[in-house]
Amino acid sequence: LKPSVEALSPAAGAAVREAMHLASGPAQDFLQALDRVADAFPENSAAQVVVAQLHGASGDTRAALDRLDRVLIRDSGDVQALAARAALHAADGQYDAAEETLRRLAATDPDNALALAGLAELAAVRGDHASALALLERLRRADPSATEVRL
């Protein structure tokens, strides 16, 4: 489960990772400034998701989940918010919460590659290889070009 901040661009993803490695100082100031901007535009779901991912990358999972939950209150099927929420839970080892979120995503879009790949990954982590393979096969049928499928 990869946070969608990587989808911005490889350079942006690298910059975000580098900035979040700094424990304080300019990176924290930058994140606080982004919080203020995102708070000024609460209806901009894409901005909310990116800022939530930055909080998650900085280790502040609670702030990240709070921001994502506000997006999901407005739009319970927001694909990016659901994917980011699942990734945060999985990264924290909260596999049940990650699975519940991915199932919500799959209910919104049954052929969603992120949901199918994430559910397959969680099944594999839990040792349920038959379910993982079935989900990957479903993903392959839904999206033959999916890079997530590595059979």
Side-chain angles (χ1 to χ4, degrees), residues 17-68:
R17 284 191 305 278
E18 182 64 30
M20 291 298 107
H21 279 25
L22 302 173
S24 62
Q28 285 301 108
D29 293 344
F30 178 66
L31 185 52
Q32 289 172 359
L34 287 176
D35 271 330
R36 289 190 297 275
V37 171
D39 288 344
F41 299 97
E43 71 287 349
N44 187 325
S45 295
Q48 302 303 319
V49 170
V50 169
V51 172
Q53 290 171 324
L54 292 172
H55 276 291
S58 73
D60 191 353
T61 303
R62 177 58 17 223
L65 291 172
D66 287 347
R67 192 166 290 279
L68 292 171

Side-chain angles (χ1 to χ4, degrees), residues 60-137:
D60 191 353
T61 303
R62 177 58 17 223
L65 291 172
D66 287 347
R67 192 166 290 279
L68 292 171
D69 287 346
R70 288 193 300 260
V71 171
L72 293 168
I73 287 169
R74 282 193 320 280
D75 179 2
S76 63
D78 187 290
V79 171
Q80 293 302 316
L82 287 168
R85 194 173 200 288
L88 282 168
H89 284 309
D92 278 351
Q94 298 175 3
Y95 299 126
D96 290 339
E99 181 176 5
E100 183 271 329
T101 303
L102 288 168
R103 291 199 183 284
R104 283 176 59 191
L105 179 54
T108 300
D109 179 5
D111 292 331
N112 183 284
L114 290 171
L116 294 173
L119 289 167
E121 184 177 340
L122 289 173
V125 165
R126 290 182 168 150
D128 186 355
H129 301 294
S131 292
L133 286 173
L135 285 160
L136 289 173
E137 179 59 29

Side-chain angles (χ1 to χ4, degrees), residues 1-27:
L1 300 173
K2 296 177 184 163
S4 60
V5 73
E6 296 297 326
L8 294 173
S9 76
V16 167
R17 284 191 305 278
E18 182 64 30
M20 291 298 107
H21 279 25
L22 302 173
S24 62

